[in-house]
């Protein structure tokens, strides 16, 4: 920021010089004008012309060329013309060359103040502060996402109307697993920028995942509003494909994902959707399309079953969440899949298709911790009465190996 204000001052210097420069010439201009007025003989020349014309009129009257009435009329016209010329030649007294000098520093100060106020209103000082914060944290050996979030939150308090601070905070909250704060940041961004389809789609997506991949009334209303504004919005179409896949409507999921790919600019996200289409086609007993069958990426082949002692506690349509997390618990969920209790025991593959965001996936780790939870109330957060099982140290790699078994054998108290 210091360099910015130095540059700003350097740009103002020429403008201030243009205001000061005329003062150096003021004395010379004043003297030249005074000499010009002192040596001006225009008035004397006008009087001489008047006298010559008046003499000519008198001679014409004496010769009898004009009568007395015509003489008086022409004489009045000459006098009127002389008076008009005399009036035009009148000049205001010259002011001293130093007069008005006080106005120059006043104008200079006004120029500086007006420029600074204009820049604060129309300039990008706030965005530069955000860039300084980002560079400072990234260059700090002890820098971390948590530190960046803290510094950006300070900036959000200072410049709450700057949309860029909220657009930077949203993905940081999302990728650090702070779903509620991510939603708040995105809603604030929408308040400032307006209800654009891309922003509404991101809000629908994060609320969908926070709600445990459920299409709640709130999520459905956001989806409807987004599609009303843009019927081909890829983020929302991808979300609808995930929801359809989770409830076993594989052909519906394929249709949504195909439409999403058609409007998508991100190659990685498009590849993930193609892999999802391949899996849905396999579930339907169809041959996979093109080269999508080959691109699975690192993942986990898991087998989930319910301990016999817990059988019959919950209905068959109770949702089952299968979540892969990093061993240290520092990243958001790397992969999330949803089954129902009636589908157990079940084999499934967790890979890039099940990532909640491109910034957190199984491809980032070599080992993961699998957590399987049967949600009695259908909530994303654990509730009393939920059943769960977990397994740590699961290798991430080829998915055609023997499945890793996770047994649901505990109950949340």
């Amino acid at each position: 920021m210091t360099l910015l204000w130095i540059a700003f001052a350097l740009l103002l210097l020429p403008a201030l010089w243009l205001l000061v420069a005329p003062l150096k010439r003021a004395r010379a201009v004043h003297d030249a004008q005074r000499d010009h007025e002192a040596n001006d003989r225009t008035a004397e020349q006008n009087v001489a012309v008047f006298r010559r014309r008046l003499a000519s009129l008198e001679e014409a009257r004496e010769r009898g060329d004009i009568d007395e009435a015509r003489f008086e009329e022409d004489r009045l016209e000459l006098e009127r013309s002389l008076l008009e010329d005399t009036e035009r030649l009148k000049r205001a007294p010259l002011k001293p060359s130093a007069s008005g000098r006080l106005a120059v520093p006043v104008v200079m100060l006004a120029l500086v103040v007006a420029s600074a106020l204009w820049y604060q209103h129309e300039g990008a000082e706030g965005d530069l502060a955000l860039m300084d914060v980002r560079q400072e944290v990234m260059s700090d050996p002890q820098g971390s996402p948590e530190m960046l979030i803290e510094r950006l939150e300070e900036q959000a308090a200072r410049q709450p109307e700057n949309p860029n601070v909220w657009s930077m905070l949203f993905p940081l909250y999302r990728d650090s697993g702070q779903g509620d704060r991510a939603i708040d940041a995105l809603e604030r961004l929408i308040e400032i920028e307006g209800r654009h389809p891309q922003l509404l789609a991101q809000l629908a997506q994060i609320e969908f995942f926070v709600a445990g991949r459920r299409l709640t009334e709130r999520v459905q209303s956001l989806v409807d509003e987004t599609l009303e504004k843009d019927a081909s919005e890829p983020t929302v179409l991808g979300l609808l494909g995930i929801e359809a896949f989770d409830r076993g409507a594989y052909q519906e999921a394929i249709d949504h994902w195909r439409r999403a790919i058609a409007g998508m600019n991100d190659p990685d996200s498009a590849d993930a959707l193609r892999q999802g289409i391949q899996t849905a086609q396999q579930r339907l007993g169809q041959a996979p399309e093109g080269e999508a069958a080959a691109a699975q990426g690192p993942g986990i082949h898991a087998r989930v079953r319910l301990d016999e002692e817990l059988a019959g506690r919950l209905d068959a349509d109770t949702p089952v969440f299968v979540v892969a997390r990093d061993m240290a618990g520092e990243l958001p969920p790397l992969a999330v899949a949803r089954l129902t209790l009636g589908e157990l025991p079940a084999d499934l593959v967790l890979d890039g298709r099940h990532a909640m965001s491109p910034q957190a996936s199984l491809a980032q780790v070599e080992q993961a911790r699998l957590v399987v939870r049967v949600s009695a109330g259908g909530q994303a957060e654990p509730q009393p009465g939920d059943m769960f099982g977990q397994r740590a140290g699961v290798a991430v790699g080829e998915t055609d190996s023997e499945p890793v078994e996770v047994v649901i054998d505990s109950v949340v108290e």
Side-chain angles (χ1 to χ4, degrees):
M1 292 299 296
T2 303
L3 291 176
L4 171 69
W5 288 110
I6 292 175
F8 194 65
L10 291 176
L11 289 174
L12 278 174
L13 286 177
L16 298 178
W17 172 253
L18 290 176
L19 291 173
V20 174
L23 295 179
K24 289 190 171 186
R25 300 176 57 246
R27 182 68 183 177
V29 172
H30 175 272
D31 293 344
Q33 182 65 23
R34 182 195 59 196
D35 293 343
H36 170 74
E37 293 181 7
N39 297 321
D40 189 7
R41 297 290 182 264
T42 304
E44 296 176 3
Q45 293 172 358
N46 288 341
V47 171
V49 171
F50 168 78
R51 288 173 177 172
R52 286 197 299 270
R53 289 182 177 179
L54 181 59
S56 297
L57 283 176
E58 290 174 346
E59 291 175 359
R61 182 184 62 178
E62 291 176 356
R63 291 195 304 266
D65 294 340
I66 57 175
D67 57 16
E68 189 66 25
R70 176 64 182 275
F71 172 79
E72 291 297 330
E73 181 181 345
D74 289 347
R75 185 176 63 81
L76 288 174
E77 181 64 29
L78 285 175
E79 290 175 350
R80 187 181 300 112
S81 177
L82 178 61
L83 287 173
E84 290 176 355
D85 291 341
T86 303
E87 286 293 327
R88 284 198 295 268
L89 291 175
K90 284 185 177 179
R91 299 182 179 90
L94 280 178
K95 294 183 179 180
S97 59
S99 64
R101 285 180 178 268
L102 182 60
V104 174
V106 173
V107 173
M108 293 172 66
L109 179 62
L111 177 63
V112 173
V113 172
S115 300
L117 292 176
W118 177 87
Y119 178 76
Q120 288 182 347
H121 185 266
E122 299 291 340
E125 182 181 5
D127 293 341
L128 290 173
L130 296 180
M131 293 301 298
D132 287 344
V133 166
R134 188 182 186 90
Q135 291 176 0
E136 181 180 340
V137 173
M138 292 180 65
S139 61
D140 187 347
Q142 305 298 322
S144 64
E146 291 75 16
M147 181 186 296
L148 181 57
I149 288 175
E150 182 180 350
R151 296 293 303 279
L152 288 176
E153 286 175 342
E154 294 174 359
Q155 290 297 319
R158 293 192 184 101
Q159 42 179 328
E161 298 302 320
N162 187 346
N164 292 321
V165 68
W166 301 109
S167 64
M168 292 176 69
L169 277 171
F170 163 65
L172 290 170
Y173 284 144
R174 179 195 63 198
D175 298 340
S176 61
Q178 303 180 60
D180 291 337
R181 288 191 173 186
I183 291 172
D184 292 341
L186 195 50
E187 287 179 337
R188 184 72 182 112
L189 179 60
I190 290 173
E191 285 181 18
I192 300 172
E193 294 284 85
R195 301 184 73 81
H196 299 297
Q198 298 84 354
L199 297 178
L200 292 173
Q202 291 185 69
L203 182 58
Q205 183 185 63
I206 186 65
E207 293 206 9
F208 173 74
F209 284 118
V210 168
R213 294 165 69 114
R214 290 188 303 115
L215 203 60
T216 62
E217 291 185 6
R218 164 69 173 167
V219 175
Q220 184 64 62
S221 67
L222 289 169
V223 168
D224 294 340
E225 183 179 356
T226 302
L227 293 179
E228 183 179 351
K229 296 175 182 289
D230 184 358
S232 60
E233 212 295 317
T235 301
V236 157
L237 292 173
L239 179 157
L240 292 174
I242 294 172
E243 190 276 334
F245 185 92
D246 287 347
R247 57 183 166 85
Y250 301 120
Q251 187 57 55
E252 183 180 341
I254 291 171
D255 294 339
H256 284 309
W257 284 336
R258 282 174 175 167
R259 290 179 58 199
I261 290 173
M264 192 168 285
N265 296 322
D266 183 3
D268 294 335
S269 299
D271 287 341
L273 292 187
R274 292 188 184 96
Q275 293 172 10
I277 290 173
Q278 171 213 339
T279 301
Q281 289 173 331
Q282 290 174 345
R283 297 283 180 94
L284 291 171
Q286 300 175 1
E289 293 181 351
E291 298 179 359
Q296 291 291 333
I300 298 173
H301 185 190
R303 175 174 296 148
V304 180
R305 69 177 179 86
L306 180 66
D307 190 281
E308 294 180 358
E309 294 184 2
L310 300 180
R313 285 198 173 204
L314 299 173
D315 296 336
D317 60 352
T318 304
V320 178
F321 297 101
V322 183
V323 182
R325 294 184 174 274
D326 65 297
M327 294 296 294
E330 298 176 348
L331 299 175
L334 305 176
V336 179
R338 178 172 171 167
L339 305 169
T340 61
L341 194 57
E343 293 179 280
L344 302 184
D347 284 15
L348 73 157
V349 173
L350 295 174
D351 53 25
R353 297 172 313 224
H354 304 87
M356 291 183 64
S357 72
Q359 289 75 23
S361 69
L362 286 168
Q364 296 176 242
V365 299
E366 296 180 355
Q367 288 187 328
R369 178 168 56 92
L370 287 181
V371 179
V372 181
R373 184 171 57 84
V374 184
S375 177
Q379 302 298 317
E381 297 296 326
Q383 304 291 329
D386 290 356
M387 300 182 295
F388 70 95
Q390 58 184 326
R391 183 162 179 173
V394 179
V396 178
E398 299 295 331
T399 57
D400 56 357
S401 58
E402 285 296 315
V404 176
E405 187 174 68
V406 182
V407 181
I408 303 170
D409 56 5
S410 303
V411 179
V412 178
E413 300 295 338

